[in-house]
Amino acid sequence: MDTFADQGRVDRAPLAGRDKELDRLDALLRARTGGTGPAAVDVTGEPGIGKTRLLTAFATRAGRHGARVLHGRAAAAPGHGVPFQPFVDAFADLDHRDRASAPDLAALAELVESAGEVRRVAAALARVPAPGLVLLLDDLHGGDPASVALVDHLLRHPPRSPVLLVLARRERQTPAALASALARADDAGSLARLPLTPLTAEDCTETLGAGLPPGLASEIHATSRGNPLYYRALAHAARTRGTETPATGPAAALLAELAPLDRAQRSTVEALAALGPRATPELLARMSHLAPGPAPNPASGPAPGSTPMAAPDAPARRAPGEAAGAAVPGVGQEAALPGVGREPVPPGGEPEAALRELVRLDLVRYGPDGRGLALRHPALPGLVLDALDPWRRRELHRRAAEALAAAGAPVTERAPHLVRAATAWDPAVAAELTEAAGRIGAADPARAADWLGAVLDLLPDAPEHHATRRELTLRRARALGSAGRVAESRDLLHHLIETEETEEGGSEDAESRTSAVLLCAFMERHLGRYPEADALLRRELARPPGPRPDLKTWLVVEWGSRALFAARYPEVRPVVAENLDAARRRRDDTGTAEVLTLSALGEAYEGDTATARARAAEAAALTDACTDGRLADHAESLVRLGWSEAFLEQYAAAERHAARGIAMARRAGRPFALAQLLLCSAYVHLLTGRVGTALDRTEEALAVARTLGGAELIGFSRALRATVLLHARPLGDPEPPAAAEEAAATVGTAEGWWATQARCMLAHAVPLDQDPHRVREVLVRAGGDRDLSRLQPSLRPGYLEVLTGAALAAGDLPEAERIARRALAEAERLGLPVQRGAAHRARGRVLARRGEPAAAARAFTEAAGDSARSGAALREAHSLLLAAPQFQAAGDGPRAADAWRKGRRLAAGGGAGLFVDLADRTRPAPPRGGGTGDRLAVLTPREREISALVAEGLTNRAVADRLCLSPRTVESHVARVYRKTGVETRAALASLVVRDEAVGGQSPRG
């Protein structure tokens, strides 16, 4: 039975997203009233999809058109009820006044109610006068044989009167006789099909999810699969959680379908709800044969001395699986569950018979492989379980856990049931949950944290368990952080540190506290709370007698990382150097590598490139010698190494280490490192001219950052994405500036490295020709003064280039000259080619404004050469495209064409739409007169195309690959070109093509 009508008195939600279906029914009714069109409409869809609501809404519309509308419903199961039962139910809408005013309908009603013959009923329907009759027959899949026969007859012999049958049914439950009749009518054209599909998220949110937070509304839509009744049930549960008894409102309508089931069938449904996606007939059989435990007395509560996991009517914990972690010290391996409430499963018919009937009723469905079983909708198990008595729910999960154990299922599949079944401390259960949390920690840290939390909830507060509590709390805090619940992790760690400080203990307790301080400082740093992280670390370093040497190394590394993110590395430089020497003396390779990467990044940031290179090279040698397993716990070290090499313009090394770190962080479940490594990889890909890949990396980094939270990481990820997007899109695209503004707004008033960089990247995105004063304001505010002295020294020349452009756009040539000189001085001190190239571009812009095109062209050419030496193809392309119009203005057409052609090729090959657009807008104009066009005019279009590619420096094989030709064919074309043009070498041909372009010849590739 479709449950919407019964539910209508409880939940009067509006009809959502069915305007097209209603319009279709209106059109069919008009056609039927006019004597054309099919005699029936077949409305099909999943239970809860809205068939009854659609029929009810259509009844109102049809009534407004003047038609008589009767609405009937079939019995709950096919083959039951009186003959013509849905028709009888429909004619019950006629009261004595209706019958008196419409004798034809009264006679028809009496004929149906007296179970007349099919032909006589059909003949009576054929005599229905205008304005016509609409018969809405709901749940026809449960129709009796007489009703099916009558529908079949009416479909084969459509009445000539204005009668429209609207049939609503569930396709999976439709008996064969009715299904075949409808199929024949569809073929004959006497039936119109109207399947109802799931609603979109927008349809659900606008009408059914009003008032829900957007994230929750989206989650409910995904769980409901766009089914409106399930959506309303889940939304109602979310709105009333804790204030109403479960299984009220829309959920009651869904669960009403379970009421007619016998005890065996209902027990099977409940077992399937508990088992979830792992259910199979074999597991169901195991659950049904497990001996029930003693039924609890709900009034007595848990056993004396036990620690309840949750109140009896607390919602069940959610959970699936993870990877092996250390067992809880002193914990056994058996999985008995003392203290679990157990209620006997009521006896009934055979499980197989019950299962067959549930499949027939479409309450249970087999998976694609024919083995797996599930309730028909993914939201149904939760609704079923929430409606159960808490003791019954726990008993089901106990049986599910034991059945899975007997079937040899891994502990990660048993853990969700162990969590939901246990009410008292049991070492064996604790060991299994701890192991399960360890196994899934990398893939699902949130679930691991919940399972560890369940163990901690049960763990007795006794001295002999304090060491176990410390270890589990630390592991849970780490899992919470990886799941993005950083503030929750920090709070838990603060409580643990406070507890450790108030309890006296030995060296083991001190090491535990130090580990907690390290992790807490990391979380504080991620939250942008640098002073708090600093205070924690300083206090732990100063605590007598001092931490163990290796732990001191980790404390110093975290302290130095805090200083890096706060842009205060010089403060920790002496301590870093001291600990580097100590780690080397201890021959602690991993500790040495950690400190080296910290030092390399700090010195690269500050612009001491010589020291940074030496530190990075030594760190790379140690890192490359480590296996991934050893590096898994040192993912942050790879982050620092990759960024150090990127700032030192060692792009190949940076890409190699970032790629290794990304793969390792994904496997080991290190989301903080993963986000930063992805950003490092994106930065390198952008500069080396692979814009599309860079954009993919920033998109993934932003997705990871969002799960972790933290305004600075999210803001920096957005800013780098906006910068990549700026280069990917053509000039003037509005999305990159908007994305950059959003990034700057995300970091708010934060002053860390990420936040500062996010603001500086906004300066790149604001169009200079539109708002140069805004560009200058953004940079000066971030940099502290007009020399940008607070910005990262190793990147400062690049930002000074932007500031030079802003001064020129604002008409302040003297200030632009001053900034360009400063950029060049700082770049020379750094000795970094890409930064020196930025300074040369700044100088070239000033020279171009002063009307010195030849000098400007030389400056831009120097910038291109500097960029090329480091492999920064994107900066090389930009420099060449700036040089081309200056060469043209200086009267050097061939060099202008050569610079333009090479710059555009680099930009196009790297996917840099910004520079491709710039190239197309600034193509050098051909000089007047002369040229070599007569020598190239004799070439065919294919020969000219191949000549242009040869001029770009491509080999015959590369040309063949580009044009999808064979190398032999390309060789033949090149030989003919030599013969026709009179040249003998590839260099001569290239020179000929360049000269032709300079005087106006058009390259076939544009």
Side-chain angles (χ1 to χ4, degrees):
M1 151 178 106
D2 204 308
T3 51
F4 278 136
D6 296 338
Q7 186 233 349
R9 289 183 289 275
V10 178
D11 180 18
R12 291 287 183 183
L15 185 67
R18 299 299 185 202
D19 290 341
K20 290 182 179 178
E21 288 83 353
L22 281 171
D23 291 344
R24 176 92 189 283
L25 288 170
D26 277 348
L28 291 167
L29 176 59
R30 286 194 298 271
R32 192 64 188 157
T33 304
T36 61
V41 186
D42 181 28
V43 179
T44 56
E46 289 282 309
I49 201 68
K51 300 182 292 295
T52 300
R53 281 181 179 265
L54 179 68
L55 265 58
T56 303
F58 176 57
T60 302
R61 285 199 180 190
R64 289 176 186 155
H65 292 316
R68 173 80 67 175
V69 182
L70 303 179
H71 196 162
R73 183 187 298 277
H80 297 279
V82 299
F84 304 120
Q85 190 270 332
F87 291 90
V88 171
D89 190 42
F91 282 105
D93 285 348
L94 297 174
D95 59 22
H96 65 281
R97 286 171 297 187
D98 294 325
R99 294 179 184 242
S101 62
D104 290 326
L105 286 178
L108 179 56
E110 291 174 3
L111 188 60
V112 168
E113 291 162 358
S114 64
E117 293 180 359
V118 167
R119 292 178 181 275
R120 293 179 61 198
V121 175
L125 279 169
R127 295 192 293 271
V128 170
L133 174 66
V134 175
L135 272 175
L136 307 175
L137 303 181
D138 209 349
D139 288 343
L140 198 62
H141 53 271
D144 58 275
S147 297
V148 172
L150 177 54
V151 168
D152 181 25
H153 183 87
L154 293 172
L155 291 173
R156 288 186 289 109
H157 308 286
R160 296 181 180 177
S161 59
V163 174
L164 179 66
L165 292 176
V166 182
L167 317 173
R169 63 187 178 91
R170 299 176 181 179
E171 201 149 17
R172 284 175 175 263
Q173 293 171 254
T174 301
L178 178 58
S180 61
L182 294 171
R184 288 193 299 270
D186 186 23
D187 289 341
S190 59
L191 177 75
R193 299 280 196 183
L194 188 59
L196 299 189
T197 56
L199 300 180
T200 65
E202 292 73 20
D203 287 334
C204 287
T205 301
E206 289 175 6
T207 54
L208 308 177
L212 291 174
L216 178 59
S218 177
E219 181 182 334
I220 288 175
H221 178 266
T223 305
S224 71
R225 293 184 177 177
N227 186 300
L229 181 53
Y230 285 98
Y231 189 100
R232 290 206 306 280
L234 295 169
H236 179 79
R239 292 187 182 105
T240 62
R241 184 163 287 119
T243 62
E244 287 190 14
T245 304
T248 59
L254 280 166
L255 297 176
E257 198 169 351
L258 306 182
L261 302 180
D262 63 31
R263 301 179 76 189
Q265 293 163 1
R266 189 174 184 95
S267 293
T268 302
V269 168
E270 292 170 357
L272 282 169
L275 278 169
R278 183 67 163 79
T280 62
E282 292 80 8
L283 283 174
L284 279 177
R286 287 181 187 276
M287 283 187 70
S288 67
H289 290 112
L290 287 173
N297 177 2
S300 67
S306 68
T307 303
M309 178 177 290
D313 43 0
R317 291 181 182 266
R318 304 287 176 196
E322 259 194 20
V328 179
V331 167
Q333 297 300 318
E334 294 302 318
L337 298 173
V340 173
R342 299 177 178 180
E343 177 182 324
V345 176
E350 281 192 25
E352 289 185 14
L355 190 56
R356 279 196 298 270
E357 179 61 14
L358 291 171
V359 170
R360 189 189 69 78
L361 293 172
D362 193 35
L363 279 166
V364 175
R365 294 177 182 176
Y366 279 96
D369 59 358
R371 278 186 46 78
L373 293 168
L375 298 182
R376 69 171 170 229
H377 192 281
L380 199 51
L383 296 171
V384 169
L385 291 174
D386 286 346
L388 293 177
D389 174 88
W391 301 107
R392 170 63 174 160
R393 191 162 56 233
R394 290 194 180 104
E395 168 65 10
L396 286 167
H397 284 299
R398 180 192 71 82
R399 287 170 172 259
E402 293 184 12
L404 286 165
V411 67
T412 50
E413 292 191 14
R414 303 197 303 274
H417 303 290
L418 295 173
V419 166
R420 294 165 181 163
T423 58
W425 169 250
D426 181 90
V429 174
E432 292 207 81
L433 288 175
T434 303
E435 180 188 350
R439 290 189 181 186
I440 69 163
D444 194 346
R447 185 152 296 181
D450 288 345
W451 291 352
L452 292 170
V455 176
L456 286 166
D457 287 345
L458 290 168
L459 184 64
D461 189 9
E464 63 268 25
H465 294 295
H466 285 180
T468 299
R469 184 174 295 279
R470 281 197 302 268
E471 180 191 343
L472 293 180
T473 301
L474 197 59
R475 292 180 61 178
R476 182 166 190 262
R478 186 172 288 109
L480 286 169
S482 296
R485 294 152 66 178
V486 181
E488 190 178 347
S489 172
R490 170 210 175 265
D491 293 344
L492 186 62
L493 289 164
H494 270 277
H495 178 72
L496 178 60
I497 294 167
E498 183 180 346
T499 302
E500 294 288 319
E501 290 175 348
T502 57
E503 295 176 355
E504 292 188 10
S507 61
E508 185 178 337
D509 293 339
E511 291 175 11
S512 173
R513 185 192 62 245
T514 301
S515 298
V517 168
L518 273 168
L519 187 57
C520 188
F522 179 88
M523 298 302 167
E524 296 280 27
R525 169 158 63 93
H526 180 71
L527 291 168
R529 296 163 56 94
Y530 304 120
E532 289 82 355
D534 181 62
L536 273 170
L537 293 163
R538 281 178 182 272
R539 185 175 63 171
E540 191 64 22
L541 284 165
R543 190 187 301 277
R548 201 176 66 208
D550 59 330
L551 288 177
K552 182 179 180 181
T553 298
W554 308 132
L555 287 168
V556 168
V557 168
E558 180 55 41
W559 190 35
S561 297
R562 182 277 318 166
L564 271 174
F565 279 90
R568 302 177 70 171
Y569 178 74
E571 294 178 2
V572 300
R573 183 183 278 136
V575 180
V576 170
E578 176 188 329
N579 278 269
L580 177 58
D581 290 340
R584 284 170 170 162
R585 286 195 301 270
R586 292 195 314 270
R587 299 183 183 277
D588 178 1
D589 286 351
T590 54
T592 301
E594 286 275 359
V595 184
L596 281 169
T597 58
L598 172 63
S599 177
L601 184 55
E603 301 304 344
Y605 177 95
E606 294 296 332
D608 185 352
T609 51
T611 302
R613 284 194 185 100
R615 296 281 192 266
E618 188 179 352
L622 288 172
T623 299
D624 292 344
C626 286
T627 64
D628 285 356
R630 284 187 66 192
L631 280 178
D633 291 331
H634 307 282
E636 287 262 320
S637 182
L638 272 174
V639 172
R640 291 189 292 269
L641 179 58
W643 275 110
S644 300
E645 292 166 333
F647 290 151
L648 292 170
E649 301 175 6
Q650 298 170 352
Y651 298 129
E655 182 177 353
R656 179 168 61 85
H657 287 123
R660 183 184 182 190
I662 287 168
M664 188 188 71
R666 284 185 175 133
R667 287 194 304 270
R670 305 285 180 179
F672 295 99
L674 176 60
Q676 296 175 63
L677 286 161
L678 285 166
L679 291 170
C680 177
S681 178
Y683 179 76
V684 170
H685 277 78
L686 174 66
L687 289 179
T688 53
R690 291 165 290 174
V691 178
T693 310
L695 189 57
D696 291 340
R697 295 282 195 276
T698 57
E699 297 281 6
E700 186 180 354
L702 181 55
V704 176
R706 284 190 178 117
T707 66
L708 294 171
E712 287 193 79
L713 177 58
I714 294 174
F716 179 65
S717 301
R718 282 176 170 160
L720 188 54
R721 176 185 174 274
T723 301
V724 177
L725 201 62
L726 176 72
H727 288 83
R729 300 292 178 81
L731 281 164
D733 190 295
E735 187 179 351
E741 294 280 7
E742 182 184 18
T746 301
V747 299
T749 59
E751 295 295 334
W753 182 84
W754 277 335
T756 301
Q757 292 301 315
R759 295 190 193 96
C760 289
M761 289 179 191
L762 172 60
H764 282 283
V766 175
L768 274 176
D769 57 342
Q770 295 179 18
D771 198 350
H773 299 289
R774 176 81 195 289
V775 174
R776 184 180 186 281
E777 176 192 7
V778 167
L779 283 174
V780 170
R781 183 175 296 177
D785 54 38
R786 64 181 191 155
D787 291 330
L788 310 184
S789 57
R790 276 204 329 225
L791 294 186
Q792 179 175 343
S794 55
L795 295 180
R796 195 180 295 147
Y799 291 124
L800 289 170
E801 179 198 355
V802 179
L803 195 60
T804 301
L808 290 171
D812 192 345
L813 180 59
E815 176 66 2
E817 290 177 330
R818 187 194 70 79
I819 298 169
R821 284 195 301 271
R822 183 168 183 85
L824 194 56
E826 297 219 9
E828 291 298 339
R829 181 182 64 82
L830 287 171
L832 296 173
V834 174
Q835 293 302 313
R836 189 165 53 244
H840 282 309
R841 282 194 300 276
R843 178 169 165 267
R845 292 175 189 274
V846 170
L847 291 168
R849 178 60 61 87
R850 285 168 46 181
E852 302 177 34
R858 285 194 299 273
F860 289 133
T861 303
E862 284 186 66
D866 284 331
S867 302
R869 276 190 288 279
S870 283
L874 204 68
R875 297 291 172 250
E876 182 185 2
H878 189 196
S879 303
L880 289 168
L881 292 172
L882 291 174
Q886 300 305 315
F887 277 125
Q888 182 78 10
D892 193 342
R895 294 186 70 183
D898 185 54
W900 179 89
R901 176 178 52 79
K902 187 176 181 182
R904 191 187 188 284
R905 176 169 59 82
L906 286 170
L914 175 73
F915 295 144
V916 170
D917 193 16
L918 173 65
D920 292 344
R921 295 185 186 197
T922 60
R923 179 177 184 129
R928 301 185 177 208
T932 59
D934 54 339
R935 296 174 67 184
L936 296 179
V938 296
L939 301 182
T940 67
R942 175 64 88 184
E943 289 167 350
R944 287 182 65 87
E945 184 177 30
I946 290 174
S947 299
L949 293 174
V950 168
E952 289 184 12
L954 273 66
T955 65
N956 286 352
R957 180 169 292 278
V959 172
D961 291 342
R962 179 80 64 88
L963 300 179
C964 300
L965 300 172
S966 71
R968 186 177 295 278
T969 300
V970 173
E971 290 173 8
S972 300
H973 279 299
V974 171
R976 283 196 293 272
V977 168
Y978 286 172
R979 188 170 60 254
K980 290 180 179 180
T981 59
V983 300
E984 297 180 357
T985 66
R986 300 175 78 85
L989 176 59
S991 177
L992 187 67
V993 171
V994 169
R995 291 201 305 275
D996 182 61
E997 289 181 356
V999 298
Q1002 286 290 322
S1003 167
R1005 299 173 62 246

